[in-house]
Amino acid sequence: MRARSLVLRRIRADRLARLLTPWFRAGWTPADVLHALDYRPDGTAWGYTTAHHGEGRTWPS
C-alpha cells in the first residue's frame, strides 16, 4: 500500500499496520483504504491527491 500512496509512504510500516488494523478487521480491503484516502464520501477527489505541484494541500516535512 505504501508503494501506491504518497500519504502512506510517510508512515513507518509497523505504525501503518497498527493504524489500519481496525479497518481490516471491519472488512476493508487495501483498495478500500486507498480509495478512502483519495476520495471524499461524495466521490470528489481530495485536493492533495490531484493538485499540481505548488497547489492544494501541503504536508510538513
Side-chain angles (χ1 to χ4, degrees):
M1 291 179 60
R2 292 172 70 222
R4 297 215 22 227
S5 172
L6 292 174
V7 173
L8 298 183
R9 286 181 199 167
R10 300 181 67 89
I11 304 171
R12 285 189 353 226
D14 61 326
R15 174 98 171 115
L16 184 60
R18 285 193 306 274
L19 290 171
L20 295 178
T21 295
W23 280 271
F24 293 144
R25 285 186 180 158
W28 286 45
T29 66
D32 294 333
V33 173
L34 291 171
H35 182 83
L37 289 171
D38 290 340
Y39 296 94
R40 298 170 193 221
D42 68 2
T44 59
W46 289 103
Y48 68 88
T49 61
T50 59
H52 297 289
H53 180 70
E55 298 176 13
R57 187 176 214 175
T58 59
W59 295 95
S61 297

